[in-house]
Amino acid sequence: MAAPRTRNRMFLGRLSLPERNFVADALRTETVGGVLLLLAAIAALVWANIPALHSGYESVVHHHLGPAALGLDLSVQHWAADGLLAIFFFVAGIELKRELVAGDLRDPRAAALPVVAALCGMAVPAVVYALTNATGGGSLAGWAVPTATDIAFALAVLAVIGTSLPSALRAFLLTLAVVDDLFAILIIAVFFTDRLNFAALGGAVVGLAVFWVLLRKGVRGWYVYVPLALVVWGLMYNSGIHATIAGVAMGLMLRCHRHEGEEHSPGEHIEHLVRPLSAGLAVPLFALFSAGVAISGGALGDVFAKPETLGVVLGLVVGKTVGVFGGTWLTARFTRASLSDDLAWPDVFAVASLAGVGFTVSLLIGELAFGGDPALMDEVKAAVLTGSLIAAVCATTLLKVRNAKYRALCVDEERDEDLDGIPDVYEEDDPAYHLRMADIHERKAAEHRRLAALKSAGTGPSAESGNSTTA
């Protein structure tokens, strides 16, 4: 007798109710932040490209402030990249910690899909960039620029075009971005640290250790942690390691699993407080002071003429799509996982193309990679904007084709006929739910019979309105 076949594992299926609620809350904030990010980027481009205002933009961006004695006499643009983005990466650290202890990444089999997809989605763009520059005689310094996905900008695209993605696809995009952020952090730490001040680094490590001890002792109060975080950030900046690493490290230290009786873990609570600050203020301000590059017809033509800029565009548009989709398909193929019955592989391809919207971290890496050549740095920023725009247009086209299907899935996910606050799809196996629905249907049927009887007797609402009309 043949052994029974094992059932294939399904991916991109329905989320658990708690995970669905968490994803919905997180994406709601990110979507609002993404729209603000989009507006900030447009404002920066307008500010930098109107001749009467261009000099004002340059003077603001390059204006220096801060205590020079502490090594922190930085330009406004530098403060935005190293300071404000530390808040963004702090939230990214909390997200990663939560995914590792309570989300999709806690199960190695479930984690394989987003991890492999993210890795391929970073490796393929880097290869595309390297090949473009190796054959065109360009610089390989910018290989990491097209490797990052900007979840906020991607969600802003969804909000603007009015596309309804099922929660499983949105969760996949969010988890993909979390893993993407992790590897982007590692790239920044490993490849863009050219000097080390071991005294400052040692002080930062001591500060992080104090931060960890205070958390484990249960010490509360923002007035303790905020000053300590600022000291750690300043020491990390002076160590030569990018200061945003301090934000990631502190985010990873927060406890993100719940103790008995807790409605939210400390990490979830702090993320809920800080995420609006990150998405609504820190990242848009970074975009305002970093995305203002002069764009003309000739400059846009140069984006496709120079190997460095062409490599960035191809990396985002082609490399990201092929990498994310290919990594997802290969993972499903070799783990014998099956796609959810509600979705098809073109849906995964559309989301993979949306991952080509790389903005915040791509701009940051572009500044780090080409900081010694301001002209080329601005051209690379223009390439990031161009590639992200092309990826957004491609994703919009692909997603619109299936939008009616997505809308129907979203309506089904939200349906709550018994009005108990829990979507009906999560109660299909609950006998009490079926009793409630039978009672609701019986009451509706009884009301329908009553109205029909009144109508046939000439005393129903239709009859009364007809009589009043005749009179």
Side-chain angles (χ1 to χ4, degrees):
M1 182 176 177
R5 293 180 62 186
T6 58
R7 185 181 178 185
N8 286 354
R9 187 170 58 86
M10 181 182 294
F11 73 91
L12 294 182
R14 186 187 306 152
L15 303 176
S16 66
L17 184 58
E19 187 68 11
R20 174 188 174 277
N21 291 339
F22 174 83
V23 168
D25 182 59
L27 292 180
R28 194 177 301 113
T29 304
E30 291 286 359
T31 301
V32 174
V35 173
L36 293 175
L37 174 62
L38 186 59
L39 293 174
I42 294 172
L45 290 171
V46 171
W47 192 0
N49 285 276
I50 294 178
L53 301 177
H54 176 75
S55 59
Y57 182 80
E58 289 294 315
S59 63
V60 169
V61 166
H62 297 297
H63 177 70
H64 277 245
L65 67 158
L70 299 178
L72 296 174
D73 180 21
L74 311 177
S75 68
V76 170
Q77 186 179 53
H78 210 160
W79 275 110
D82 287 72
L84 292 176
L85 282 193
I87 301 173
F88 167 79
F89 279 110
F90 174 68
V91 174
I94 300 175
E95 288 176 337
L96 177 61
K97 180 67 173 290
R98 186 198 165 275
E99 288 290 335
L100 289 170
V101 301
D104 288 342
L105 300 182
R106 73 184 186 279
D107 178 5
R109 292 207 312 161
L113 178 67
V115 170
V116 173
L119 279 173
C120 293
M122 299 185 83
V124 176
V127 171
V128 169
Y129 178 93
L131 290 175
T132 304
N133 282 269
T135 56
S139 169
L140 295 178
W143 65 269
V145 175
T147 60
T149 294
D150 194 315
I151 181 66
F153 218 127
L155 292 172
V157 171
L158 294 179
V160 169
I161 66 177
T163 298
S164 301
L165 274 187
S167 59
L169 282 176
R170 287 177 176 263
F172 173 65
L173 188 60
L174 181 61
T175 306
L176 186 74
V178 170
V179 180
D180 194 287
D181 286 342
L182 167 65
F183 288 110
I185 292 160
L186 293 176
I187 287 173
I188 291 170
V190 174
F191 295 99
F192 295 100
T193 299
D194 53 4
R195 62 177 180 82
L196 278 178
N197 181 328
F198 287 101
L201 180 59
V205 171
V206 170
L208 288 172
V210 172
F211 189 88
W212 184 84
V213 170
L214 292 175
L215 288 173
R216 292 301 172 271
K217 294 292 185 181
V219 175
R220 297 177 179 272
W222 64 268
Y223 46 84
V224 174
Y225 291 102
V226 171
L228 178 58
L230 292 174
V231 170
V232 171
W233 176 87
L235 288 168
M236 189 68 75
Y237 174 82
N238 281 286
S239 74
I241 296 176
H242 201 269
T244 53
I245 303 300
V248 178
M250 287 183 280
L252 286 170
M253 289 182 183
L254 294 175
R255 176 169 62 82
C256 292
H257 61 276
R258 301 176 188 178
H259 287 166
E260 188 175 350
E262 283 186 336
E263 185 177 356
H264 301 289
S265 67
E268 290 172 324
H269 176 67
I270 293 173
E271 181 185 9
H272 180 74
L273 293 176
V274 180
R275 184 188 287 274
L277 177 63
S278 169
L281 182 66
V283 176
L285 282 178
F286 168 77
L288 180 64
F289 296 125
S290 294
V293 293
I295 294 178
S296 63
L300 289 177
D302 288 343
V303 165
F304 299 96
K306 291 188 175 181
E308 292 89 352
T309 50
L310 179 61
V312 170
V313 174
L314 292 178
L316 288 172
V317 178
V318 178
K320 268 291 183 183
T321 305
V322 172
V324 172
F325 179 79
T328 305
W329 186 86
L330 287 172
T331 304
R333 175 70 178 81
F334 289 105
T335 61
R336 296 199 299 178
S338 59
L339 190 63
S340 168
D341 295 336
D342 294 328
L343 300 173
W345 282 109
D347 300 317
V348 180
F349 188 85
V351 171
S353 67
L354 190 60
V357 178
F359 188 75
T360 306
V361 179
S362 290
L363 290 178
L364 174 61
I365 294 177
E367 290 180 2
L368 295 174
F370 297 104
D373 188 345
L376 183 55
M377 181 177 71
D378 283 348
E379 292 170 351
V380 167
K381 287 183 178 182
V384 170
L385 295 173
T386 303
S388 297
L389 179 60
I390 295 172
V393 170
C394 293
T396 298
T397 304
L398 294 171
L399 291 170
K400 279 294 186 182
V401 172
R402 294 268 290 172
N403 200 35
K405 173 69 172 178
Y406 298 150
R407 192 179 295 115
L409 289 174
C410 289
V411 169
D412 188 53
E413 287 180 357
E414 297 292 337
R415 191 179 70 253
D416 183 20
E417 291 188 31
D418 59 349
L419 303 177
D420 65 346
I422 301 175
D424 294 340
V425 292
Y426 290 96
E427 300 182 293
E428 293 172 346
D429 298 328
D430 183 3
Y433 163 76
H434 292 287
L435 290 175
R436 289 197 303 273
M437 291 305 301
D439 181 59
I440 290 171
H441 292 155
E442 178 57 35
R443 281 191 276 119
K444 286 182 178 179
E447 180 65 13
H448 180 74
R449 290 193 297 270
R450 185 183 71 82
L451 292 174
L454 290 173
K455 183 178 180 181
S456 63
T459 59
S462 298
E464 291 174 4
S465 62
N467 292 336
S468 64
T469 302
T470 304

